[in-house]
């Protein structure tokens, strides 16, 4: 393929969104918020060929392909995919399509740490039944201590407050000595500082006595799904994470059936936390090699 790659850029946002809108299965990894937010950390580059947006990762050590964005069903994959191409984070629908078209030329394996957790929005908004008893207790404790949640939707003032909270959170968690937390902090700052450039970004914050205590930042991925990119809160405030999760879903997710809360990256603690909210399913992803 004769492709000309350049760093992921907001200047090409509309070109990307045109292809994103016809992508059959929309993983949160491939949203413009995620691609641009992590562009510097992963060295993410893209190239447009008319039908597809091709994406590759150039850091930290070797170049590897991500799945292309666009109408996968309109592509002759046998003539497009070349021997030796190696892909990561390939959504299950595309992996299945490639298997049908390429047969033995394709080898793949599930990447469990990249599976994206899907929850019913109604579950997260109402925390029904015994399954969510502990979560509801945390929210009730928050309300008893701080009153009914004071929720504010995304606006210019909220962005400034979120940036300040993120800075405080990083100081408490010693981000400077953690490469992964430093990278996440950079991504959050990039996205928040340019939030008005993204088409479907939404979010909200909790305030206690006029001071920000938590925020959540999400994006409508498709007609049925809201993706949650970032969620931060003051760890000194009991129940703050359960409450921002619940209230964000009540306020922002009423028009969708599912909430995508991204992957666990094979981190045991993160996996346990995500499983504790009883996912309804997963958007599975695969590592793929073409022979």
């Amino acid at each position: 393929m004769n492709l000309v790659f350049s760093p992921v850029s907001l200047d090409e946002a509309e070109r990307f969104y045109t292809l994103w809108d016809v992508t059959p299965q929309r993983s949160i990894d491939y949203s413009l918020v995620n691609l641009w937010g992590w562009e510097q950390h992963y060295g993410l580059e893209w190239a447009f060929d008319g039908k597809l947006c091709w994406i590759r990762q150039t850091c930290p050590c070797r170049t590897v392909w991500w799945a292309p964005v666009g109408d996968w069903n309109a592509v002759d994959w046998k003539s497009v995919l070349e021997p030796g191409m190696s892909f990561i984070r390939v959504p299950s629908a595309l992996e299945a399509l490639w298997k049908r078209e390429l047969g033995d030329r394709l080898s793949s394996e599930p990447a469990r740490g990249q599976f994206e957790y899907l929850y019913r929005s109604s579950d997260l908004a109402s925390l029904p039944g015994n399954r969510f008893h502990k979560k509801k207790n945390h929210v009730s404790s928050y309300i008893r201590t701080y009153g009914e949640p004071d929720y504010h939707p995304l606006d210019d003032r909220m962005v400034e407050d979120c940036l300040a909270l993120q800075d405080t959170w990083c100081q408490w968690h010693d981000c400077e000595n953690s490469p992964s937390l430093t990278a996440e902090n950079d991504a959050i700052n990039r996205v928040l500082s340019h939030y008005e450039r993204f088409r479907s970004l939404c979010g909200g914050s909790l305030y206690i006595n006029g001071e920000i205590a938590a925020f959540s930042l999400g994006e409508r991925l498709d007609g049925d799904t809201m993706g949650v990119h970032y969620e931060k809160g003051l760890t000194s405030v009991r129940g703050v994470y359960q409450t921002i999760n619940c209230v964000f879903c009540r306020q922002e997710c009423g028009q969708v059936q599912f909430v995508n809360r991204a992957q666990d990256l094979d981190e045991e603690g993160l996996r346990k936390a995500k499983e504790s909210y009883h996912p309804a399913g997963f958007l599975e992803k695969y590592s793929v090699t073409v022979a």
Side-chain angles (χ1 to χ4, degrees), residues 19-72:
L19 295 171
W20 170 256
D21 286 342
V22 296
T23 303
Q25 187 181 36
R26 298 179 208 167
S27 154
I28 197 171
D29 273 349
Y30 293 89
S31 70
L32 185 58
V33 171
N34 193 68
L35 292 175
W36 190 76
W38 292 89
E39 177 265 324
Q40 292 180 329
H41 179 69
Y42 288 116
L44 293 175
E45 299 178 340
W46 61 13
F48 296 86
D49 69 0
K51 290 184 178 180
L52 296 170
C53 173
W54 293 88
I55 301 164
R56 68 184 185 185
Q57 174 182 329
T58 62
C59 295
C61 52
R62 68 184 181 91
T63 298
V64 62
W65 297 85
W66 288 22
V69 170
D71 184 359
W72 300 330

Side-chain angles (χ1 to χ4, degrees), residues 113-134:
Q114 295 292 338
F115 284 16
E116 296 171 8
Y117 287 72
L118 301 175
Y119 305 88
R120 296 193 185 280
S121 60
S122 57
D123 284 348
L124 298 188
S126 61
L127 302 175
N130 290 332
R131 291 186 307 155
F132 294 98
H133 180 69
K134 290 183 178 179

Side-chain angles (χ1 to χ4, degrees), residues 72-144:
W72 300 330
N73 297 308
V75 178
D76 178 8
W77 293 109
K78 289 182 180 179
S79 64
V80 169
L81 296 179
E82 300 175 351
M85 295 181 79
S86 178
F87 294 84
I88 61 173
R89 305 177 187 237
V90 177
S92 57
L94 181 57
E95 186 265 351
L97 175 61
W98 283 356
K99 267 188 174 179
R100 291 195 299 271
E101 295 209 7
L102 275 71
D104 293 342
R105 287 185 57 199
L106 194 83
S107 60
S108 65
E109 59 181 21
R112 175 61 182 85
Q114 295 292 338
F115 284 16
E116 296 171 8
Y117 287 72
L118 301 175
Y119 305 88
R120 296 193 185 280
S121 60
S122 57
D123 284 348
L124 298 188
S126 61
L127 302 175
N130 290 332
R131 291 186 307 155
F132 294 98
H133 180 69
K134 290 183 178 179
K135 306 297 184 186
K136 185 169 285 187
N137 280 348
H138 282 294
V139 176
S140 297
S141 176
Y142 179 99
I143 294 172
R144 285 195 302 271

Side-chain angles (χ1 to χ4, degrees), residues 139 142-143 146-152 205-207 243 247 250:
V139 176
Y142 179 99
I143 294 172
Y146 306 106
E148 287 295 327
D150 183 14
Y151 180 88
H152 293 252
S205 298
L206 293 181
Y207 287 81
T243 305
V247 178
R250 290 177 187 171

